[in-house]
Amino acid sequence: MRTLGLEVRHACRSILKRPAMSAIVVITLGLGLGANAAVFSMIDALVLRPFTMPDVDRITLLSFTRPDDIDRREAPSPADYLDLKQRQPDSFERLAAFEWWNANLVGQDEPENVQGFFVSADFFPALGVQPVMGRDFRPDEETPGGHRRVVIGHGLWQRRFASDPSIVGRAIEIDAAQGEE
């Protein structure tokens, strides 16, 4: 035990003698460990534990390019989506659309900004997933005025609604409009 104490004291004296060198060693080790952790996290997420959706290799994200700018990809417009769905119903097993959505959840507590997507009725079936509670969307809810349903994520359900299962089917207020979960 005495030799361990001597070694620690010697190490501390060496560090204090050359502070610049010690800082460089600590920074180099920190960057190396951080980069190593990032690479292994990506390998773990992408290779060892990939997406849990069934048939993930069959899911495709459609985009369009303009003839004058083939390097720029754009999402299909709603008209293009409807055209693909009506004119080529056999080309895809399922065809779903989504659009980024940013709203404010108001009501019982402080307003909270939530981010998500407007999705078509085939979105969840195309991914091969089902909501844990409640239901997904029906085709009649894709029309204007029928879009007052939401599926909330697990984290929001726990944080905002205290994991209350009775929230299913209740009205919640989003951007001062009533929506049913």
Side-chain angles (χ1 to χ4, degrees), residues 24-34:
I24 290 172
V25 168
V26 169
I27 290 171
T28 303
L29 280 172
L31 289 174
L33 290 171

Side-chain angles (χ1 to χ4, degrees), residues 101-133:
W101 179 55
N102 195 2
N104 293 307
L105 182 60
V106 295
Q108 66 254 32
D109 296 330
E110 289 289 318
E112 180 178 353
N113 186 269
V114 292
Q115 299 170 347
F117 295 95
F118 285 116
V119 299
S120 63
D122 272 343
F123 184 78
F124 291 111
L127 296 178
V129 296
Q130 285 283 96
V132 174
M133 295 189 315

Side-chain angles (χ1 to χ4, degrees), residues 40 45-46 60 102 109 118 141 148 150 152:
F40 281 117
L46 298 174
T60 303
N102 195 2
D109 296 330
F118 285 116
E141 294 168 342
R148 300 218 183 262
V150 295
I152 61 173

Side-chain angles (χ1 to χ4, degrees), residues 86-171:
Q86 291 172 356
R87 293 186 186 205
Q88 299 178 9
D90 299 332
S91 298
F92 305 98
E93 187 175 326
R94 292 196 182 271
L95 187 63
F98 64 92
E99 179 184 5
W100 184 258
W101 179 55
N102 195 2
N104 293 307
L105 182 60
V106 295
Q108 66 254 32
D109 296 330
E110 289 289 318
E112 180 178 353
N113 186 269
V114 292
Q115 299 170 347
F117 295 95
F118 285 116
V119 299
S120 63
D122 272 343
F123 184 78
F124 291 111
L127 296 178
V129 296
Q130 285 283 96
V132 174
M133 295 189 315
R135 63 173 179 83
D136 56 5
F137 303 111
R138 295 189 308 247
D140 63 317
E141 294 168 342
E142 287 183 347
T143 58
H147 63 280
R148 300 218 183 262
R149 303 268 186 243
V150 295
V151 174
I152 61 173
H154 187 73
L156 180 64
W157 176 63
Q158 286 181 321
R159 184 180 67 255
R160 183 73 180 209
F161 302 104
S163 302
D164 181 11
S166 69
I167 190 67
V168 176
R170 277 193 354 220

